Amino acid sequence: MSQSPILFFQHGMGESNQNMQILAGRVAPENAYVVVPNLNLLTTFLNLDPLIEVVERSASETLNDFPQSTFSVVGFSMGGILWVEVLSRNPSWLERLDALVLIGSPIKGASLARTVDPFGWGIGIAQELGRNRQYLAEKITQKIPTLVIAGSVNGGGDGVIPIESTRLNSTHFFTRNNVKHQDLPIDLIIGEKVKSFLLHPYLIPSENSRITRLIDHFEHVEGMTPADERDFPRATISHTFSDGITLREWVNPVGVRHIFIADVTGKCQFSGFTGWVHNKALKRAILVAQNF
């Protein structure tokens, strides 16, 4: 006889598990075994590795206690980063993972963290939050049904996390307008999206379109950081492809070069920037991309 499904909910930095308990109460099936760890508030500002170990140890104990159960994961903000790390370190767990939900999680790196710690000197947890974990995450999303939710209060992010830093290939993607970062877990509409997805998760097949190839190309430029989409209207078209896809550029007042990719409808699909140190690398990448 199969055991009840397990649902793990993980909160983010600078908060308790209260909001995730509220979300769990709204979305978890009656027969689910729910785990909502509460990380020490102060430690969420210090170092990521001990937090990863806490989440990993809690999950391992639960999975061992219910060896026949499958499980799903809902991570908010830093909580999503913690689970990407945990799953990457325990690839055998993917055989039991039904679904992954990432809410406001800066998997590609939080530009706010990079602003606080621009040279990677390790100021608190900022260095780790600024790291791009797209490669780790997409090894999971290619195999596991994944829902990514981003908030938008300014057209480009939720006030803390840029939309672009949450995007991943092979995932279901939902943008919730007019909801601030800290309110995403308790938003009723997001709760309904999560509940529906956990009931019927399904995999998104990988695509090899020009847009996905362009995004992959620019994401691998050294020093690339997700940018705020609200600067997209300021960009000018630097190249138009035969199918109508465009590359657009903008240099901000302090000389930081931004690159945007727009689909045939003119909607922004990618936004990023590099600092002065990597400006030449971005210029070369733009020239190469024009031949895609």
Side-chain angles (χ1 to χ4, degrees):
M1 183 176 178
S2 63
Q3 295 178 334
S4 299
I6 304 166
L7 264 67
F8 294 102
F9 293 80
Q10 188 56 60
H11 68 81
M13 184 174 71
E15 61 177 6
S16 71
N17 65 350
Q18 182 177 359
N19 284 350
M20 295 305 279
Q21 286 181 322
I22 293 173
L23 178 60
R26 291 172 176 170
V27 308
E30 291 185 4
N31 66 330
Y33 183 81
V34 178
V35 182
V36 195
N38 190 22
L39 302 176
N40 182 287
L41 180 64
L42 292 179
T43 62
T44 63
F45 289 99
L46 300 177
N47 191 290
L48 205 66
D49 281 338
L51 302 180
I52 296 171
E53 292 170 5
V54 169
V55 174
E56 183 178 31
R57 184 166 56 250
S58 172
S60 180
E61 292 172 355
T62 302
L63 293 175
N64 287 335
D65 288 342
F66 298 88
Q68 303 302 316
S69 292
T70 58
F71 71 101
S72 296
V73 172
V74 180
F76 167 61
S77 195
M78 185 187 70
I81 291 176
L82 294 177
W83 263 103
V84 165
E85 288 283 356
V86 167
L87 293 172
S88 298
R89 298 179 186 193
N90 298 274
S92 63
W93 291 5
L94 297 183
E95 297 178 2
R96 297 172 60 183
L97 181 58
D98 289 329
L100 173 63
V101 179
L102 301 171
I103 305 173
S105 292
I107 302 300
K108 294 182 183 177
S111 57
L112 181 62
R114 292 178 184 174
T115 301
V116 174
D117 188 20
F119 299 106
W121 289 338
I123 302 174
I125 207 167
Q127 183 182 36
E128 280 298 313
L129 293 183
R131 179 184 162 200
N132 189 331
R133 293 174 172 81
Q134 181 184 8
Y135 174 73
L136 292 179
E138 289 182 351
K139 290 178 69 175
I140 300 168
T141 63
Q142 290 172 6
K143 300 176 181 178
I144 303 301
T146 303
L147 171 64
V148 172
I149 296 176
S152 176
V153 294
N154 57 19
D158 59 18
V160 177
I161 305 301
I163 292 174
E164 187 57 46
S165 68
T166 69
R167 292 186 193 272
L168 295 169
N169 293 322
S170 304
T171 65
H172 303 265
F173 186 78
F174 175 68
T175 302
R176 178 69 171 111
N177 293 321
N178 302 316
V179 178
K180 296 179 181 179
H181 181 74
Q182 64 269 24
D183 296 329
L184 292 174
I186 57 175
D187 179 71
L188 291 174
I189 291 178
I190 287 178
E192 287 299 316
K193 286 284 183 182
V194 174
K195 182 176 182 179
S196 176
F197 182 75
L198 292 177
L199 285 174
H200 305 288
Y202 65 94
L203 199 62
I204 294 290
S206 299
E207 296 183 1
N208 190 30
S209 66
R210 175 177 272 142
I211 283 184
T212 57
R213 285 184 282 120
L214 283 168
I215 291 174
D216 181 71
H217 171 67
F218 283 109
E219 284 175 340
H220 286 84
V221 174
E222 187 176 5
M224 182 60 69
T225 300
D228 199 319
E229 285 186 17
R230 63 182 170 181
D231 292 322
F232 173 68
R234 304 179 183 181
T236 57
I237 296 174
S238 60
H239 184 77
T240 302
F241 295 92
S242 59
D243 55 5
I245 293 170
T246 56
L247 297 180
R248 308 186 186 204
E249 298 179 57
W250 175 63
V251 179
N252 73 7
V254 295
V256 175
R257 185 173 298 276
H258 291 60
I259 182 71
F260 302 90
I261 301 171
D263 61 23
V264 295
T265 68
K267 182 179 180 181
C268 182
Q269 297 295 327
F270 173 85
S271 55
F273 68 88
T274 56
W276 300 318
V277 175
H278 302 110
N279 194 37
K280 290 184 179 179
L282 178 55
K283 287 182 177 180
R284 287 195 299 268
I286 292 170
L287 290 174
V288 171
Q290 291 175 4
N291 294 316
F292 276 34

